[in-house]
Amino acid sequence: MSGPSPSPGRRVAAVVVLVPVLVALALWAFAWPAARTAPRDLPVGVAGAPAAIAQVEQRLDRNEGAFEIHRYADEDEARGAVEDRTVYGAVIAGDRGPKLLTASAASPAVAQLLREAMTGRASASGDPVQVVDVVPAPEADPRGAALGASVLPLALAGIATGAVVTLLGLRGVRAVVALTGAAVSTGLVAAAIAHSWLGVVTGDWWAVAGVFGLSTLAVGAGIAGLGALLGRAGLGLGGAVMMLLGNPFSGVSSAPETLPRPAGAIGQWLPPGAGGSLLRSVSFFDGAAAIGPALTLTWWALLGLGAVLLGGALRRRAPGASPAPGRTRASVPAA
């Protein structure tokens, strides 16, 4: 038998206390990273004559801890590093003045940051800076706003899918089929909107649809897996992690290296951040640096689906478990 329900006074007190706590958590999760955005060990390449490189490194090192400098033999090697997503940009020190290589497709915010940093220092020294966007963002989304806005709908779709599957009582294989089918259909719809209609992502259409679908499956399976093991408390825990950590810590609107530590690293271990990174790699960089985020999403999906199957098996073995749908307990003749 369940215990006595809380009195109306206690319910009112719970609402008065819990609402400010939830607001504080939401403001911390969303406002803190935005208010503390700054480069932190941001990978940047340099190439050119040794003496010129030393001057560039000295200028970059003035912002202590802001940049992680990678040296390259020449401009071609530095350009390749930008295209492979090893660095966000590169400074080529030449006789005719410095040249800045950027990749606005990797992060328009970081490309603008590097442009302002280098042009400001160059104007002080009198040397003009030539800026070359090696991998430009699509014309339909030059600031990356639409790509960043895609993280929240996919997270919501995954949370809703996992919650609905759990609340409808789907278990075992049926739950796995429902989660997978919903993720596939979500990926196709998202690719049709973002790729075919809006044009904010490019690259192979089916690969983009696969990224959208895998991102949705990773979130949905994680939510449903926690629900299968922990019940409604698991749904709440999973939803809170995805919304209060996964979304604001994803770094999709800027870059993980611009978020306060350890928010950027945490975000890349969660499906929203990994999904955003994988989408950039597949859409704009021919799959460069896609292995890490792809493995993160895959592990979330597999562990979540495994938890769904495990939770269903445990419920079937529990004493007094209800019979499966469509079956009735066999009647026992009276003695």
Side-chain angles (χ1 to χ4, degrees):
M1 296 179 62
S2 60
S5 60
S7 64
R10 291 185 177 181
R11 295 177 185 177
V12 172
V15 172
V16 172
V17 173
L18 288 178
V19 170
V21 171
L22 293 176
V23 171
L25 287 175
L27 286 175
W28 167 79
F30 285 87
W32 171 59
R36 297 292 186 267
T37 299
R40 296 172 176 84
D41 289 332
L42 191 75
V44 176
V46 293
I53 286 180
Q55 294 180 0
V56 172
E57 291 179 343
Q58 185 177 6
R59 292 177 182 177
L60 294 177
D61 286 338
R62 292 176 183 174
N63 298 325
E64 185 177 356
F67 300 104
E68 179 184 277
I69 300 176
H70 299 246
R71 284 196 174 196
Y72 298 101
D74 51 30
E75 179 178 347
D76 291 338
E77 186 176 346
R79 184 183 293 265
V82 174
E83 293 173 346
D84 291 339
R85 301 198 69 186
T86 304
V87 294
Y88 283 93
V91 181
I92 312 302
D95 298 334
R96 300 181 180 179
K99 178 190 292 187
L100 175 63
L101 306 181
T102 64
S104 58
S107 173
V110 170
Q112 181 65 23
L113 184 152
L114 294 176
R115 190 180 298 112
E116 292 175 354
M118 290 307 301
T119 54
R121 293 190 178 96
S123 61
S125 62
D127 298 327
V129 177
Q130 178 186 1
V131 180
V132 179
D133 199 346
V134 178
V135 187
E139 296 181 0
D141 188 27
R143 297 182 180 179
L147 183 65
S150 66
V151 173
L152 180 58
L154 288 177
L156 289 176
I159 293 172
T161 302
V164 169
V165 166
T166 302
L167 295 177
L168 288 179
L170 297 177
R171 301 172 185 170
V173 176
R174 291 184 179 180
V176 171
V177 171
L179 290 167
T180 305
V184 170
S185 59
T186 300
L188 296 176
V189 171
I193 295 175
H195 192 293
S196 302
W197 178 34
L198 298 177
V200 297
V201 293
T202 58
D204 182 76
W205 193 94
W206 291 103
V208 170
V211 173
F212 281 130
L214 182 59
S215 300
T216 304
L217 180 61
V219 176
I223 298 293
L226 288 173
L229 297 177
L230 304 177
R232 293 180 182 269
L235 296 180
L237 175 62
V241 169
M242 296 301 174
M243 286 300 299
L244 296 180
L245 297 181
N247 188 49
F249 290 2
S250 65
V252 176
S253 60
S254 55
E257 293 85 357
T258 63
L259 299 181
R261 295 187 179 96
I266 293 173
Q268 293 306 297
W269 283 103
L270 295 174
S277 297
L278 182 59
L279 184 60
R280 287 191 186 278
S281 295
V282 170
S283 299
F284 310 127
F285 293 89
D286 295 328
I291 295 178
L295 289 176
T296 299
L297 293 176
T298 301
W299 276 113
W300 270 95
L302 292 178
L303 291 175
L305 294 177
V308 168
L309 295 174
L310 176 61
L314 293 176
R315 286 179 178 272
R316 286 194 302 269
R317 295 180 181 180
S322 58
R327 297 182 181 180
T328 58
R329 295 183 185 273
S331 58
V332 179

